[in-house]
Amino acid sequence: MKKNKTNIEIYEQAAKNLGITTELVQSSPSTHSLLITYKEKFYLASASTPGFYPEVRRWNAHFSSSKLLTQKILKRFGYKVVSSEAIRHADFSSLHQLDAKLRQLDLKYPILIKPDMGLRGQGIALADTLVQLKKIANEKFQRGEDFMLQPILNQNEYRILIVNYEVVLMHSKQNPHIVGDGVSTIAQLLSEIKKSKKDETFIKYEHKLHKTKASSVLKKGTFFEYHLTKKPTSDYYQTSQIPAVIKKWTLKLAKTINAPVIGIDVFIPGTFADTSTYTIIELNSNPGLNYLPTYCNDETTAINIFEKVLRDYFGIKK
C-alpha cells in the first residue's frame, strides 16, 4: 500500500503549483500549521482548528463534530438520519441507572456503539449481546463519554464532498474484506490480515450471516468482511460527472446548514434517483483528502481540490 502524503504536504504542493508562498510555523506548543501567504492576504491551514478550508465557520465545525447534535439539526430540517439511541453521560448519576436504561431498550443485536465525538471510525464498537453492550457502555460512562447506539445497515455507502458550494467528489465506501478463492478456509485468508485490522466481534457476526465457521472454505469470489468501519473505494468514483440528482440534493443540504464546505457520509440503498431513501450517517467540516491515492488510486484530485480552495480564497483566476 502506498504511503500517504499528509494533507499539509498536499497543500504545500498545491500552493507551489500556484506560485503561493508557504511556511510551516509553530501554532501551539505541540502543533504546527501551514502559513499560506499571497500578496496582502494569508491563511493558516492545519489538521485541527482552523482546518484546511478558510471558508468553514467555527460553528460548522462545532456542530459537525458531535454526531448527536448533527442528527438533531438534520432531523429538524427533514433529513433522514440513522436511527439512534442517544446515551448522554449527564443523564445518569450511576452505572446502575445506565444499566437499567440499557435493559429497558428494545434493541436488535448486534448493535453499533459510536462515540458522539470521533473521526475515521475511531472508537466504534460492536456488541452482540446485552452483556457486551453493558461492558462497553460502562467503560464509556466511566470515561465521561456520550455515545449512541445504532443498528448495522448493510447499504451502499458514499462520501460526497462539497467545497465552496461546489460538489467536487463522490466515491463509494466499503467494509474491509477478504475474497474467497474456492480453496482456502476463512481462517487461512484472515491470517494474512494484521490482527489490529480485524474486529473479532464483527467476524462472528459475518459468520452468522454467511452460515460459516473459521474452517469453512470461502467460495470463489465471495466477500467476507472483517471490520465494521467502511473504507474509501473507487468502485464508484466521480469528480466531474457527478449525477445531477446528487448535486441538487447535496447543494440543498449544504445551503440549509449554511456550510460551504462539508463532507457527507450517506447510505443510498438503491439507485440515486429517489433522494427520500438517502440516510445521512455523519458530516465532516474539515475533510482530509490524503487517502485518495491509497484507497482510490487517484494522485491528482486532492491537489486539484486544494488548488481550488486557494484560488477561491486568494481570488486567483484559473
Side-chain angles (χ1 to χ4, degrees), residues 26-298:
Q26 191 89 26
S27 53
S28 79
S30 59
T31 60
H32 288 79
S33 296
L34 188 66
L35 174 60
I36 306 171
T37 309
Y38 183 75
K39 294 184 178 180
E40 297 183 357
K41 198 172 183 180
F42 77 93
Y43 178 63
L44 283 169
S46 69
S48 56
T49 304
F52 303 124
Y53 305 93
E55 308 304 332
V56 172
R57 298 169 176 85
R58 288 178 65 90
W59 62 266
N60 284 148
H62 178 72
F63 96 79
S64 65
S65 67
S66 166
K67 297 180 180 68
L68 293 172
L69 183 56
T70 297
Q71 285 202 340
K72 183 180 181 69
I73 292 171
L74 290 174
K75 285 193 289 187
R76 181 163 294 184
F77 289 102
Y79 287 94
K80 187 178 178 182
V81 299
V82 179
S83 175
S84 304
E85 183 70 40
I87 306 293
R88 293 192 178 276
H89 181 269
D91 293 340
F92 305 93
S93 60
S94 67
L95 286 173
H96 178 73
Q97 277 192 351
L98 175 58
D99 286 350
K101 170 68 173 178
L102 295 177
R103 286 195 300 271
Q104 292 170 3
L105 296 176
D106 183 19
L107 300 173
K108 183 179 179 181
Y109 293 92
I111 196 84
L112 289 178
I113 304 101
K114 286 187 174 183
D116 180 39
M117 314 282 281
L119 292 172
R120 297 181 293 275
Q122 296 174 358
I124 299 177
L126 183 70
D128 204 28
T129 64
L130 176 60
V131 172
Q132 288 181 347
L133 173 58
K134 287 168 66 176
K135 181 178 182 295
I136 296 167
N138 288 352
E139 290 171 354
K140 290 184 176 296
F141 179 82
Q142 290 173 336
R143 293 195 296 266
E145 298 176 5
D146 293 340
F147 58 96
M148 57 207 304
L149 308 178
Q150 293 183 343
I152 295 177
L153 296 181
N154 292 312
Q155 297 181 1
N156 297 328
E157 182 177 338
Y158 300 88
R159 159 59 64 95
I160 307 171
L161 177 61
I162 275 196
V163 173
N164 299 341
Y165 292 121
E166 180 182 342
V167 187
V168 296
L169 174 66
M170 179 178 179
H171 65 71
S172 51
K173 298 180 75 175
Q174 193 173 62
N175 292 97
H177 58 271
I178 52 175
V179 183
D181 58 12
V183 177
S184 305
T185 66
I186 293 172
Q188 289 171 329
L189 294 170
L190 287 175
S191 69
E192 300 176 8
I193 309 298
K194 290 182 179 179
K195 186 176 181 180
S196 61
K197 303 291 185 182
K198 294 180 285 191
D199 184 317
E200 293 302 328
T201 304
F202 190 74
I203 288 171
K204 290 179 182 177
Y205 167 69
E206 279 289 287
H207 277 307
K208 286 183 180 179
L209 288 181
H210 290 272
K211 297 180 180 179
T212 56
K213 52 188 177 181
S215 59
S216 301
V217 172
L218 194 59
K219 291 181 181 179
K220 188 173 183 179
T222 300
F223 285 16
F224 186 98
E225 298 169 352
Y226 56 82
H227 202 282
L228 57 87
T229 303
K230 287 182 168 61
K231 301 294 184 183
T233 76
S234 58
D235 291 350
Y236 181 89
Y237 193 85
Q238 289 292 342
T239 57
S240 60
Q241 295 182 324
I242 298 167
V245 65
I246 293 287
K247 287 185 177 181
K248 182 178 179 180
W249 178 85
T250 308
L251 285 169
K252 181 183 177 184
L253 169 60
K255 290 178 179 178
T256 296
I257 62 174
N258 214 357
V261 177
I262 201 76
I264 306 165
D265 288 335
V266 58
F267 286 127
I268 304 178
T271 66
F272 299 149
D274 186 1
T275 58
S276 69
T277 66
Y278 294 13
T279 301
I280 298 171
I281 305 164
E282 60 186 47
L283 305 178
N284 184 350
S285 66
N286 192 39
L289 301 171
N290 65 324
Y291 65 86
L292 293 178
T294 300
Y295 288 102
C296 302
N297 197 32
D298 183 346

Side-chain angles (χ1 to χ4, degrees), residues 294-314:
T294 300
Y295 288 102
C296 302
N297 197 32
D298 183 346
E299 301 279 353
T300 61
T301 292
I303 291 177
N304 292 342
I305 290 174
F306 281 149
E307 283 184 9
K308 169 183 168 53
V309 172
L310 294 171
R311 284 196 305 269
D312 290 352
Y313 182 69
F314 289 111

